[in-house]
Amino acid sequence: MAGTNSELPLIAEGPVIILVNPQLGENIGMVARAMANFGLAELRLVDPRDGWPSDTARAAASKADHVIDGASVHDSLADAIADLNFVYATTARSRDGFKPVRGPSVAARTLRTRYRGGERTGILFGRERWGLNNEEVGMADEIVTFPVNPAFASLNIAQAVLLMSYEWMKSGMEDESQTPFQAVEQTPATKQDLFGFFGHLEEALDARGYFRPADKKPRMIDNLRSVFTRRAMSMQEIHLLRGVISSLDRYSRKNPRGGEGSDG
Amino acid sequence: MAGTNSELPLIAEGPVIILVNPQLGENIGMVARAMANFGLAELRLVDPRDGWPSDTARAAASKADHVIDGASVHDSLADAIADLNFVYATTARSRDGFKPVRGPSVAARTLRTRYRGGERTGILFGRERWGLNNEEVGMADEIVTFPVNPAFASLNIAQAVLLMSYEWMKSGMEDESQTPFQAVEQTPATKQDLFGFFGHLEEALDARGYFRPADKKPRMIDNLRSVFTRRAMSMQEIHLLRGVISSLDRYSRKNPRGGEGSDG
């Protein structure tokens, strides 16, 4: 299921992802894949341990080749962010200092606003084992950190990039309840449609003596109708349910163990 | 940096994660780690290809042992969800049918509301290569899908679990701008503090003949003050800047190449 589909729009924009001293090619590849999943494209590597290019990274990227091919290598973090206007540092640890600390969704909205204003932005991610040092965090404008389980707080680098990329994608949506596809479109039923259905059902049940004893009938009808009024029904659902009732009401069972009238 | 820290609270609650026919132990382990990161704990496996327990899974879980040890294996999906009240199916593909389709944050808030109401909930994730089949999706109450890059839409199973776990954690926060730690607390400066700083700076500059020609002085002061009024300053920042001015103003350079009064 991985890889690009050339018939669909490829989103490739937004903040630069900067990995400081990444150790494993596999992690770099998973970072590239996560970026591609959520429409980011520009990857910069500061002094990657095992050099670059990396076959391991390409394999782990699951065909996010546009990210791998576009990645650049830099000797220093200062060089890697020289052309950017606004940079976040990701860290799981509290730091001394005056820098504002943001959650991922607030940070993503800030990045989106600055991106729309024409600024070049970036997000720094540290080494697999110990993250960013204080000097590196100091080069960023603000800090972003994740709301994690206090006793199990360590995210790997690809997971951290995934979450920021995902929040970036969400920050571009007009409404976060938007989904890439929707349920089959249905026409809301009117109350008249609903009452027609009730009449159909209750008539079929009445014909079989379902409402016994007679003085309980109003209460039984109330309860039965409640089942179908807990949420607004669609025309399609009412049509389907009326088909069910017609089938039960009009046709005898084909199963020999049942026999006619077995639902009476 | 991975593993549990027994001095901090371990969150272990919320929806059950159900993996249908997972193939690779490594993926199961990364799922367990992602769950632990965001406070989920209960993992169920439907017919895992390579059996259970799995050393590969345990290794990939980076010490999320409480999730691995608590995982249960089931022959069928129906069995795995038998005790649950409300279940989401994750899918990247549009399906025929009436089921509502939600984005991850809406789904997480629904799960949180039901959890708080005492319901048992779960989220289904399909096979690595082709997800869930229609019958399996049919067993869920609603569908959840991710806002991805249309041309690069495939998330791996551990990434999908990570995003839902993260949204679950966020759904429990009163305010999504909350962060696990904050910047060093600072006292907002008053305008009087700010004007005191301006006076200090401008006096030091004036003594050196900075404001030349004299008729430009008001405009130069306007511009200088603008630099420091673009955002509200804290007392700590003003204190720090006054220290800088005092240092430049009162002490001569120690660097022999500079010499006294070199900043004039």
Side-chain angles (χ1 to χ4, degrees), chain A residues 55-118:
Chain A
D55 290 340
T56 327
R58 188 176 295 274
S62 296
K63 298 198 167 52
D65 291 332
H66 60 294
V67 179
I68 295 290
D69 292 336
S72 60
V73 175
H74 303 260
D75 290 337
S76 71
L77 177 55
D79 177 55
I81 64 173
D83 62 325
L84 304 183
N85 303 112
F86 188 88
V87 172
Y88 271 105
T90 54
T91 174
R93 294 194 307 278
S94 180
R95 312 272 179 160
D96 288 339
F98 299 170
K99 258 178 233 309
V101 180
R102 313 292 185 197
S105 51
V106 172
R109 285 197 291 269
T110 300
L111 290 167
R112 180 68 67 172
T113 302
R114 290 178 177 271
Y115 174 79
R116 286 180 177 150

Side-chain angles (χ1 to χ4, degrees), chain A residues 183-206:
Chain A
V184 173
E185 200 169 324
Q186 298 195 45
T187 314
T190 63
K191 295 305 173 197
Q192 185 177 32
D193 298 318
L194 187 66
F195 299 154
F197 161 68
F198 287 157
H200 188 170
L201 174 62
E202 289 155 16
E203 190 280 327
L205 292 172
D206 219 3

